[in-house]
Amino acid sequence: MLAPRIVDGLIELVGGDGVIARGSAARVYECDGWTLERRVPEVVVLPRTPEEVAAVVRLLHRHGVAFVPRGAGTGLSGGCLPVAAPVMICTSRLRQIVSIDLANRRAVVEAGVVNLAVSRAVARHGLFYAPDPSSQSACTIGGNVAENSGGPHTLKYGVTTNHVLGLELVLPDGEVVTLGGAVEDVPGYDLRGLVIGAEGTMGLVTRATLRLTRTPEGVRTLLGVFATVDAACQAVSGIIAAGIVPAALEMMDQLMIAAVEAAFQVGLPTDAGAVLLIELDGAGAELDQQARAASDVCHAQGAREVRVARDEAERAALWKCRKRAFGAVGRLAPNYCTQDGVVPRTKVPDILRAIAGVAARHRLRIANVFHAGDGNIHPILLYDERDADEVRRVIAAGHEILRACVDLGGSITGEHGIGVEKINELPLLFAPQDLRAMQALRAAFDPEQRCNPGKIFPTPGACVEVTRPRRQVPA
């Protein structure tokens, strides 16, 4: 239990309203979007400035206290679960957009700035911030950096690391360092790139210099309707092979279509085997030609219909279905568990067949909505947590799906991170010596492992045994 004098010290640094000790208020922070496991932190600290963050970390370092960083709590792998860390440092009050440099298309923002707020701040200048997780109206830049977040438009625009030029990082001993900078290329090792996606195990990000992107001149959004998932997957490959680089290629299978249509009533064909959402952006003169070419590819692969959104309202309705698809799943089952894996794009039909096999073998219903263009799958396993046998089958099925991703040349995560969820799966990808090398690298930043301990690596005592999946809210 944290000594009272340490709690008093934290209150001196951030004020009484910036410290939450154990109690019902702290329970709000017991988990993120991955609700399989929950732990209430002993103390939650809510600093208002980067300087307060550094002061808090220095105090904890002096007393040898471990801590876990947390943004908005929208993560999906338990990355901010307080494992062996009594203190949680929440950056949600660091909400200042420090500066916007329109001429050089950059913005400096604090870690607690909400992703969508960046795009809104620069929209009238014809700019936007490209990474767009489905949680972008809630998730923060600091959390995006920790998980190297992507989103539906990753296919064309890349992930967070492609749009962060520099970082201000508070090291586990409280020292403040700057990694990267305002220019495109900084000599020396890319320590900025090393920290992005490190899930808060190397320090706590307080500010980020972001690259802003010119808003495309025009957008065309199409919906291809297919009898089978295989046919839709062939259309994805065909579109890429035709030299078209869509901004997004998103797919939903029949079970997911039914849930989404029941929730939003936008006219999706519930008898279709799959729908493919295709978004093209760029110069207006080229878009119509690309849209025709993409439509031709879909028809050549057996699409029975290709709809084109006639206006922004129709486009918004289609994206509402995609980005809120997970919320609609609640109509299908009392509980669901989402997996996040990656396979090479050409292997998407194979992994979907593997998922279908897993579903049959374990007598489960599994819906699919995923980033088809880059092979990032999100199978959603439906179940009822009151059925203990079904819960066991869900857990076993999830492991089998991740193993199948690896067997097909893919990975156990595309955008959700390892956190505590996939610690036991990491050895599927890395040999023991690989893991030791990565841990040695981490130790260069955090030799005493006081910054987000018990995450990513399968070290003794750090693993969380997943026994009871519950509802979660995917990206």
Side-chain angles (χ1 to χ4, degrees):
M1 184 146 181
L2 208 60
R5 62 191 173 91
I6 299 177
V7 178
D8 291 342
L10 293 170
I11 292 173
E12 286 182 16
L13 292 173
V14 302
D17 65 342
V19 175
I20 301 171
R22 273 190 182 277
S24 58
R27 186 165 293 282
V28 174
Y29 300 89
E30 66 180 359
C31 67
D32 57 12
W34 172 256
T35 59
L36 285 147
E37 295 295 329
R38 301 166 188 244
R39 292 189 184 181
V40 180
E42 286 190 36
V43 173
V44 180
V45 187
L46 298 149
R48 289 183 172 82
T49 67
E51 292 74 22
E52 286 189 354
V53 172
V56 166
V57 174
R58 282 195 296 271
L59 184 148
L60 296 177
H61 178 70
R62 284 198 301 274
H63 292 284
V65 176
F67 62 93
V68 55
R70 175 184 166 115
T74 57
L76 293 159
S77 60
C80 65
L81 193 74
V83 178
V87 175
M88 175 178 286
I89 302 176
C90 187
T91 59
S92 59
R93 289 185 176 180
L94 276 66
R95 295 192 288 259
Q96 185 180 359
I97 295 179
V98 179
S99 65
I100 295 173
D101 180 351
L102 296 175
N104 291 298
R105 298 183 188 173
R106 300 177 195 129
V108 178
V109 306
E110 292 184 345
V113 171
V114 171
N115 175 301
L116 188 58
V118 179
S119 289
R120 286 176 172 167
V122 299
R124 65 191 175 93
H125 304 291
L127 299 171
F128 73 109
Y129 178 61
D132 64 335
S134 293
S135 59
Q136 70 177 139
S137 62
C139 65
T140 61
I141 294 299
N144 292 173
V145 170
E147 302 297 340
N148 194 19
S149 301
H153 291 81
T154 291
L155 178 62
K156 180 173 183 177
Y157 292 101
V159 294
T160 296
T161 194
N162 304 116
H163 300 274
V164 173
L165 295 168
L167 295 171
E168 180 183 84
L169 182 74
V170 178
L171 294 173
D173 64 358
E175 180 184 0
V176 180
V177 298
T178 299
L179 308 179
V183 295
E184 293 291 333
D185 189 19
V186 177
Y189 293 125
D190 183 13
L191 299 179
R192 171 212 61 91
L194 180 62
V195 168
I196 296 172
E199 303 189 28
T201 59
M202 294 181 172
L204 199 156
V205 170
T206 48
R207 290 191 179 99
T209 302
L210 308 179
R211 176 184 287 114
L212 303 174
T213 301
R214 177 66 65 189
T215 303
E217 182 180 316
V219 176
R220 299 289 185 276
T221 305
L222 296 80
L223 186 77
V225 180
F226 295 85
T228 66
V229 169
D230 266 13
C233 290
Q234 292 305 318
V236 170
S237 295
I239 290 169
I240 301 292
I244 302 168
V245 182
L249 278 172
E250 302 287 303
M251 195 183 301
M252 293 186 284
D253 70 4
Q254 188 172 40
L255 192 53
M256 183 58 74
I257 296 168
V260 166
E261 180 58 21
F264 304 117
Q265 297 95 44
V266 298
L268 294 181
T270 55
D271 61 336
V275 295
L276 180 63
L277 184 62
I278 308 161
E279 183 141 293
L280 307 161
D281 67 11
E286 301 173 356
L287 283 177
D288 288 332
Q289 180 183 353
Q290 288 188 2
R292 284 193 295 272
S295 179
D296 289 345
V297 170
C298 290
H299 284 298
Q301 297 300 331
R304 75 185 197 201
E305 179 186 8
V306 179
R307 304 177 188 175
V308 181
R310 290 170 296 185
D311 51 33
E312 182 57 29
E314 284 195 2
R315 174 180 179 246
L318 291 174
W319 276 110
K320 179 180 178 181
C321 291
R322 169 57 189 90
K323 290 206 169 189
R324 298 186 182 181
F326 298 104
V329 171
R331 294 172 174 269
L332 300 178
N335 305 89
Y336 61 89
C337 179
T338 303
Q339 276 298 350
D340 166 45
V342 179
V343 296
R345 187 181 62 247
T346 55
K347 298 293 185 181
V348 169
D350 299 277
I351 190 62
L352 291 176
R353 281 191 284 272
I355 292 170
V358 168
R361 210 159 39 248
H362 292 280
R363 294 174 284 118
L364 296 169
R365 289 190 300 162
I366 301 179
N368 289 284
V369 54
F370 54 99
H371 311 304
D374 49 14
N376 186 187
I377 61 164
H378 292 310
I380 301 172
L381 293 76
L382 308 174
Y383 69 100
D384 185 339
E385 67 178 357
R386 296 166 296 186
D387 184 337
D389 178 63
E390 190 170 57
V391 168
R392 283 192 289 272
R393 283 184 274 124
V394 165
I395 294 171
H399 291 320
E400 287 187 26
I401 290 170
L402 293 177
R403 181 175 288 278
C405 288
V406 174
D407 290 343
L408 288 168
S411 170
I412 58 174
T413 179
E415 55 186 352
H416 295 179
I418 300 298
V420 298
E421 175 198 2
K422 297 174 181 173
I423 283 180
N424 293 328
E425 272 74 31
L426 205 58
L428 293 175
L429 287 170
F430 299 105
Q433 57 268 36
D434 299 326
L435 296 174
R436 284 195 294 272
M438 285 189 273
Q439 288 175 289
L441 186 57
R442 174 186 177 177
F445 286 78
D446 185 16
E448 297 171 326
Q449 298 205 20
R450 289 183 180 149
C451 186
N452 209 8
K455 303 294 164 58
I456 301 179
F457 300 107
T459 51
C463 299
V464 174
E465 184 181 2
V466 175
T467 57
R468 191 185 184 205
R470 302 186 181 95
R471 184 184 303 279
Q472 54 182 306
V473 184

